[in-house]
Structure formats: C-alpha cells, structure tokens
C-alpha cells in the first residue's frame, strides 16, 4: 500500500471538516448538515487515521446504510490509495460473520439460504386473513415484522410490546401475531433466513459465544458509521457488540434527515451519543456546498419554526428566489409545472438553461406521479420515474386484468361503472379508505387513480370500449417504462434522500398530502416536516413550491384543499435579503388560515377518538365507522343538522343512520 501524505489529505478542507478529519481516536460524533461534504469527511478521516498510523487499514470498518453507499465509499477510498479498506452495510458484515461461524455451531451445516424478499410468503398468508383484511398489502406486513425484529420481539410477545410502544399496526395486533408466527414457521420449513435474521442471529452469536466475539473484535477495532440517524435498535446492539469495551467509534448523521422511523429507525442514538460516551468529540459541519443562500434560508426557516437554532451556511453563490405558488385547481398546477420546466430548459429567466436531467419533481406518494407523467407526455417533455413505476405496481396490474375480463359490450359510463364495481368487490377497494399502513394507503391511491383515469377516458369519449381503454393504459405504461435517462426525474421525497439537482419542484404541498393525512401526533408531524426539509435541500439553484385550492378525485368530485401548515414558516421576508421568496399569486397561508387550522385540530382529535372507541365497540375496522377523508370534510363544513350532515361527501345513508347523531354532538361540543 502506498504511503499516504497526511498534509495532502487536509489541504482542501474547510475548518470544520479539518477538525473532524483530525479527530481520529476515541468516540466522535459528526453532525453533518445537508450538502456539507460528509462523504468526503468520512473517507478523508479514514485515510488520515491510516496515514498517521492510528490504525492499520485492515482493522477499519466503515459502515454505510445502503449497498450503493458502500460501493461509492469503496471507490472514494480507492481513489485515495486505500483499496483494502472494508466498507459495508450492517447486513453485509453480519452475513460474512455468520457464514464463518455457523457451521461450527450447527453440526457442520452451512448457513441457510437467504430469502430475497418476505413478500411471496406474506402475500400467501395475507390471503388467508378474514374479511377485508385479506387485501392488506404484504409490504405493510413485512414492515411490521421488521419493526418487531429490530427490537428482537418474538411473535408471541408482539401484541404486548406493540401496545407498550404505542404502535398502531396495519391490521389488529392479534392478526399480526398470527401472520408473524406463520411467517416464521414457513421460513423454517423452507430452511431460509431473511435479512433481519442476519442481524438477529449475529447479535445472538456474539452475545453467547465469547470466543466468536473475541475473534470478531480482533479483526476490526476502528469503526465509522454513516447515516447514523437511521440506525435501529438491533443495528445499535450489533455495533455495541462489535465495539466491545473499546471506544474508537465515529458516527456521522443529521437528525433533520431522519425520515425512516416507520421502519424502526431512531435519531436518539445520534442525539444521545455524547451522553453515552462522556468526553466524546462533537463536530458540526454547517457549511453547505450544494444550495444557494436563498434556498438554504428557506430550509433554515423551516427548522426555526420548530424552535431549532441549527443553520446551514451557504458557500455557493446567490441564485434565483424560490417561489411558492397557489393554483386554482390541480389542472392549473400541472400546467404551471410544465411551464416551469419549459422555462428552466429554455433559459427564459436569462440565468442559463437547465437540462431536463437536472430537474426533479418530488411528491409524497407514488400515486401522485402518473398525472405528472401524463402532463409531461402531452407536452413532449422527456421524463423518467425513479423507483417503482405506477404501471408495475401489483394492484394496478391486477386492476387491468379485471378490465380485460369485462364484457365486450361494456362501453362508456357502463365500462367505468363495471370496472369500479369489480375493483371494489374483488380487490377490496374502498374510496377514501385511509386505514392500514403506508402500503395500504398507496394501494388505495393507486386504485383510485385507475378509476379516475377510466372516468377521464369515458368523459373524453362517450362510447369508449374496453380495447380502446386498454390501449390507452398500455400507451401510458410504455411511456413510463421508456423514460429517458436524460429526462426530468419523477420520484418521492423518500427516494430523493442522498440525491441533488439544479432545480427541484415540489407540487401539491397541501394538508392531507404533506403532511400526510395520517400524521396526527407531534412525532409524526415532525417527520413530515423533515421530509419537506429533505426536499428543499435537494435543490442547488432553482426551487419552486406549489399547491392547489381545489382538486378533482374519483367520480369527478371536486374537493377544497388547504396549503400545508409547513408553508406558513416560509412566508416572504423583505426583498433583497437572502431567503426572499417569490409568492405567486397569494400567500401560502395567511393568519386567518392558520387560526382555522389550529381551531380544526381539537375537533379532528375528538372525532378520531370517537371513531376509535366506536370501532372497538362495534368490532369493525376504523374506516367502516368513518374514513379520514370523511372526518376532514366534516371538520371543513361543520354541519349542525342531519340534512347538512347528509350532504357531506362520503357520509352515506347507513353511516348517517348509525352515527349521525353522535357526530353532531361532537361538532356541537367544539363550536
């Protein structure tokens, strides 16, 4: 291995980075703000420790959050002259250790094969659930099992532990126990283990086998962990076992980019690091090398609204003012999105054209992407969907299979009616159903969009038949799958983490979307705020936010929308100051709107508490009593009589007869 020059490794670092890189021994926590060069710091710090003979290269372990990040870290270290340094995920390192020790502990048998995915087993088990629960997406069940395994919770202990943690499962807890137990038995019969088992088994190995633990600790003694804010309890325990009684541990993360708590991750390990390691060095990287001062001012303002003092310091030149735009409806917003992209790519602002590949449109859920695809296709603007494509989703493929089986004679409105009826009866679709986990809500939104696109087709062509509708869907799917690598990027906030573009557009920033409707607690709202923070800090020079006052959903029903509560923190400041915002046309949320939002919260809380109590009493899912969409309409309209309540969208005669009087009592108590 060539000899490294320590001085050269420090030559181009800023003062904060220099301090972090030189801190090569003992416990170190690096709070790395967005765009602050954390990958450079991790790789340089590793190289500097080796160059100054603090640690031999073969005793270093750099832990990353994803395989992609590990590959990038290996390449970065190789470019510094360190081809032999190990950079892996928790799972990859655990796998190598299990393969080594497993045969000796299991009569010579090799490590069982690794499951590629939990979903095939869980899909089969989900179909055996009672009633409407059989439509529960296997992804939600997998997430719940992963949450439990991250805490080393066995199936039989799940119900008690989930209740103690305040966990709200996607299906009743007793059914989760049944699925969890059946999954573990099916896995054992097939002689397979899953990715969670890699960590569970490695932790068990190191806790019970002193010799194995000693061997593992002798091989690696200097640790650096990236994205530490995304660590879950099981990963933290494994890290502690690798470390033993030593303290050469450096963790790097940003608590304001914690957006995976639904999987069991927690930023507590990052924020409490100094308390767990008294005397630990703390370094904050606050200089941002990605975004303009105007964009960073918005990001800082969003944090300040939460009472945070953290500030990112811009190192890039000034750029255009970010914009917040209010549109009359969803169609107008799509037209505005297309116009913005055309303006960016044609240099109408005179600031230099932006290539389509350097533009990203970020949304909260995948089901928001297809209407954007359609608008861009119509405008002949190339695009690519990053992540799972809409027409590749299992529920969309199943809905199109149902469409293929409809009678040849079905045309126009009858075609749309029959498809919606089949989707309801055979796929369990319930309009406005916000119950279940994230995957269930995505599934409902996807099916709603299939129905909406069908209704749009019927509206455009009164005698639309099955084959013509299938051809339209096929054309949409082809345009989606043939997306250009040089096109506009369409993806969710979650998928955008770790990426950046010259221009970022954030549409549909409305209550019920971001924050998502199910975010009720302070912790859930804080995570939604962090999602917006991640979105803002993906942009280098151009940033545009927008919302619409009305949107059309399935059945051509139009609903009123309100701006996201987070936009209130981004209101304009005096012109010609960093962070100025161009508001087009109208403020994101005025004082009256904020008061209305605050007044709504007690009523919504009361209605949700009543719904939960009633659902338990009646022995039915919460959505049967009332969907979140219905409760929001009630809060918005505040009906005071039975006839007025009857006119609320989604109420229905059976709900009105059973629950109407109780609802009116709650509304009256919150006038």
């Amino acid at each position: 291995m060539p000899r490294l020059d320590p001085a050269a490794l420090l030559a181009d670092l800023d003062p904060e980075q220099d301090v972090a890189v030189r801190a090569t021994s003992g416990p170190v926590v690096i709070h790395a703000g967005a765009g602050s060069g954390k990958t450079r710091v991790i790789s340089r710090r590793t190289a500097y420790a080796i160059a100054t003979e603090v640690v031999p290269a073969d005793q270093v372990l750099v832990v990353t959050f994803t395989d992609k990040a590990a590959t990038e870290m290996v390449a970065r270290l190789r470019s510094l002259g360190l081809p032999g340094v190990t950079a892996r995920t928790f799972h990859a390192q655990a796998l190598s250790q299990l393969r080594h020790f497993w045969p000796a502990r299991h009569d010579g048998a090799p490590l069982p094969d690794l499951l590629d995915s939990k979903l095939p087993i869980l899909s089969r088990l989900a179909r055996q659930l009672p009633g409407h629960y059989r439509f529960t997406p296997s992804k939600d069940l997998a997430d719940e099992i992963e949450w439990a395994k991250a805490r080393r919770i066995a199936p039989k202990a799940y119900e008690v532990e989930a209740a103690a943690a305040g966990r709200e499962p996607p299906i009743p807890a007793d059914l989760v126990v049944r699925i969890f137990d059946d999954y573990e038995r099916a896995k054992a019969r097939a002689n397979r283990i899953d990715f969670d088992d890699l960590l569970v088994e490695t932790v068990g190995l190191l806790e019970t086998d002193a010799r194995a633990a000693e061997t593992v600790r002798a091989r690696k003694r200097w640790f650096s962990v990236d994205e530490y804010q995304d660590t879950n309890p099981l990963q933290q325990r494994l890290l502690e076992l690798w470390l033993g009684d030593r303290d050469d541990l450096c963790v790097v993360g940003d608590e304001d980019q914690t957006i995976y708590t639904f999987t069991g991750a927690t930023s507590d390990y990052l924020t409490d690091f100094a308390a767990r390691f008294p005397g630990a060095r703390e370094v904050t990287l606050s200089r941002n090398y990605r975004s303009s001062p105007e964009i960073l001012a918005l990001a800082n303002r969003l944090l300040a609204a939460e009472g945070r003092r953290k500030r990112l310091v811009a190192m890039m030149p000034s750029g255009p003012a970010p914009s917040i735009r209010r549109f009359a409806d969803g169609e107008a917003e799509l037209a505005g999105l297309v116009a913005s992209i055309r303006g960016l790519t044609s240099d109408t602002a005179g600031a230099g054209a932006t290539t389509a590949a350097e533009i990203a449109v970020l949304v909260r859920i995948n089901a928001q992407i297809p209407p954007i695809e359609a608008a861009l296709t119509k405008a002949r603007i190339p695009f690519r969907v990053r992540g799972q494509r809409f027409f590749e989703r299992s529920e969309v493929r199943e809905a199109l299979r149902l469409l293929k089986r409809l009678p040849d004679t079905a045309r126009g409105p009858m075609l749309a009616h029959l498809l919606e009826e089949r989707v309801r009866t055979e796929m369990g679709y319930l309009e406005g159903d916000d119950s279940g986990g994230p995957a269930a809500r995505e599934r409902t939104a996807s099916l709603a969009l299939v129905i909406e696109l069908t209704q749009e087709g019927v509206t455009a062509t009164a005698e639309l038949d099955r084959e013509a509708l299938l051809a339209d869907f096929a054309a949409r799917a082809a345009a989606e799958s043939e997306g250009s690598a040089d096109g506009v990027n369409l993806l969710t906030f979650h998928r955008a983490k770790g990426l950046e573009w010259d221009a970022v557009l954030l549409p549909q920033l409305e209550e019920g979307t971001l924050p998502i409707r199910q975010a009720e607690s302070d912790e859930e709202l804080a995570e939604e705020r962090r999602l917006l923070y991640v979105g803002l800090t993906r942009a280098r020079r151009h940033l545009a936010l927008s919302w619409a006052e009305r949107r059309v959903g399935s059945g051509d029903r139009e609903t009123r929308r309100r701006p996201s509560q987070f936009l209130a923190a981004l209101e304009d400041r005096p012109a010609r100051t960093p962070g100025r915002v161009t508001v087009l046309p109208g403020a994101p949320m005025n004082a009256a709107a904020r008061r209305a939002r605050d007044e709504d919260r007690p009523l919504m809380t009361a209605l949700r508490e009543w719904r939960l109590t009633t659902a338990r009493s009646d022995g039915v899912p919460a959505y049967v009593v009332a969907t979140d969409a219905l409760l929001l309409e009630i809060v918005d309209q505040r009906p005071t009589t039975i006839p007025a309540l009857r006119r609320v969208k989604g109420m229905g005669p059976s709900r009105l007869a059973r629950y109407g009087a109780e609802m009116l009592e709650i509304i009256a108590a919150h006038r």
Side-chain angles (χ1 to χ4, degrees), residues 13-14 17 31 91 230 251 267 281-282 286 312 317 376 423 452 479 561 572 606:
L13 303 179
D14 68 35
Q17 293 173 342
H31 301 280
H91 292 85
D230 291 324
V251 299
S267 61
R281 296 282 301 275
E282 285 198 75
S286 59
L312 293 174
L376 296 184
V423 170
E452 183 181 337
R561 309 291 291 179
D572 200 11

Side-chain angles (χ1 to χ4, degrees), residues 77-88:
L77 292 167
R78 185 181 293 118
S79 71
L80 294 174
L82 296 170
V85 174
T86 303
R88 288 176 172 170

Side-chain angles (χ1 to χ4, degrees), residues 295 297-303 305 324 506 509 532 536 543 545 565-573 579-583 588:
I295 291 170
L298 248 65
N300 289 335
R301 209 175 295 165
L302 185 65
L303 294 184
I324 301 174
L506 308 178
L509 296 180
L532 179 56
L536 298 177
L543 179 63
L545 296 75
Q565 59 188 270
F566 303 141
L567 292 183
L570 309 181
E571 289 178 348
D572 200 11
R573 288 188 172 186
R580 63 191 184 276
V581 178
T582 301
V583 182

Side-chain angles (χ1 to χ4, degrees), residues 34-56:
S36 61
K38 70 180 178 68
T39 304
R40 165 184 282 200
V41 167
I42 293 170
S43 57
R44 294 290 185 89
R45 180 178 178 273
T46 302
Y48 190 78
I50 296 168
T52 56
E53 300 182 346
V54 169
V55 62

Side-chain angles (χ1 to χ4, degrees), residues 259-260 360-369 384-388 393 442 489-499 501 506 531 534-535 538:
I259 57 174
Y260 294 107
V361 181
L362 309 185
V363 295
R364 179 60 177 84
I365 62 172
N366 283 300
Q368 293 172 257
I369 292 178
R384 65 165 171 165
V385 178
R386 302 183 66 149
Q388 186 179 34
R393 294 182 65 88
E442 282 271 9
N489 299 275
L490 308 180
L491 65 166
T492 64
F493 285 89
H494 283 99
R495 292 221 176 238
K497 189 164 180 283
L499 303 175
W501 298 271
L506 308 178
L531 273 176
V534 167
R538 299 311 93 194

Side-chain angles (χ1 to χ4, degrees), residues 598-667:
D598 294 339
E599 290 167 1
D600 285 349
R601 186 170 254 177
L603 176 55
M604 178 59 82
T605 299
L607 285 168
R608 282 176 170 150
E609 289 175 352
W610 163 81
R611 177 179 64 178
L612 181 60
T613 302
T614 304
R616 287 173 176 168
S617 174
D618 292 355
V620 297
Y623 66 81
V624 172
V625 177
T627 65
D628 269 3
L630 172 58
L631 297 187
L632 283 169
E633 286 293 325
I634 290 172
V635 168
D636 195 28
Q637 298 182 32
R638 293 177 178 258
T640 58
T641 64
I642 289 292
L645 186 58
R646 183 184 297 115
R647 291 192 293 271
V648 175
K649 185 189 76 172
M651 191 66 217
S654 59
R655 276 196 180 116
L656 186 68
R658 186 168 182 81
Y659 305 121
E662 295 177 29
M663 289 178 171
L664 290 177
E665 286 181 11
I666 296 170
I667 295 167

Side-chain angles (χ1 to χ4, degrees), residues 244-489:
D245 59 2
R246 301 163 300 182
D247 65 358
D248 271 332
L249 171 64
C250 174
V251 299
V252 185
D254 180 6
E255 64 177 298
D256 295 307
Q257 295 188 66
T258 307
I259 57 174
Y260 294 107
T261 61
F262 61 90
T263 66
T266 173
S267 61
D268 290 349
Y269 299 122
L270 174 67
T271 55
D272 296 343
F273 186 85
R276 287 183 290 110
F277 289 90
R281 296 282 301 275
E282 285 198 75
V283 183
T284 298
L285 306 180
S286 59
R287 301 175 195 234
N288 178 284
Y289 295 90
R290 176 187 301 157
S291 305
S292 70
E294 291 79 8
I295 291 170
L296 291 186
L298 248 65
N300 289 335
R301 209 175 295 165
L302 185 65
L303 294 184
E306 196 183 6
R308 302 288 310 287
R309 294 183 179 180
K310 172 181 172 180
R311 290 185 59 82
L312 293 174
V313 179
M315 304 304 292
M316 303 303 289
S318 182
S323 66
I324 301 174
R325 190 164 189 177
R326 180 185 67 205
F327 290 94
D329 55 38
E331 287 301 312
E333 186 182 41
L334 285 173
L337 197 70
V338 168
S340 294
I341 293 170
R342 281 179 169 156
L344 288 165
T345 55
S346 62
D347 188 23
T348 56
T354 304
T355 64
E358 278 296 338
I359 300 172
V361 181
L362 309 185
V363 295
R364 179 60 177 84
I365 62 172
N366 283 300
Q368 293 172 257
I369 292 178
I372 301 173
E373 293 177 36
L376 296 184
T377 300
K378 185 176 180 180
R380 300 184 182 277
I381 294 174
F383 65 86
R384 65 165 171 165
V385 178
R386 302 183 66 149
Q388 186 179 34
R389 300 185 182 103
F390 179 76
F391 286 96
E392 291 177 352
R393 294 182 65 88
S394 60
E395 66 270 15
V396 175
R397 295 199 305 269
E398 177 62 23
L400 295 186
R401 283 193 288 269
L402 293 178
L403 174 60
K404 289 178 183 178
R405 298 202 295 267
L406 293 182
D408 293 342
T409 54
R411 281 178 167 75
M414 179 55 68
L415 179 68
H417 170 74
L418 286 177
L419 177 60
E420 182 170 357
E421 185 178 69
R422 293 288 177 86
V423 170
R424 289 180 186 277
T425 57
E426 298 187 33
M427 298 186 67
Y429 169 72
L430 291 173
E431 182 185 342
D433 178 16
D434 292 319
S435 63
R441 297 192 291 269
E442 282 271 9
R443 181 179 187 272
T444 298
S446 295
L447 293 176
L449 186 55
V450 170
I451 293 169
E452 183 181 337
L453 292 174
T454 300
Q455 291 166 339
E456 285 180 4
V458 168
T459 300
T461 306
E463 290 299 308
L464 185 73
D465 63 16
R466 183 189 64 191
E467 296 308 315
L469 181 57
L470 284 169
D472 178 62
F473 280 129
R476 291 174 184 268
E480 183 180 70
S481 63
E482 294 169 5
S484 169
D486 297 324
V488 174
N489 299 275

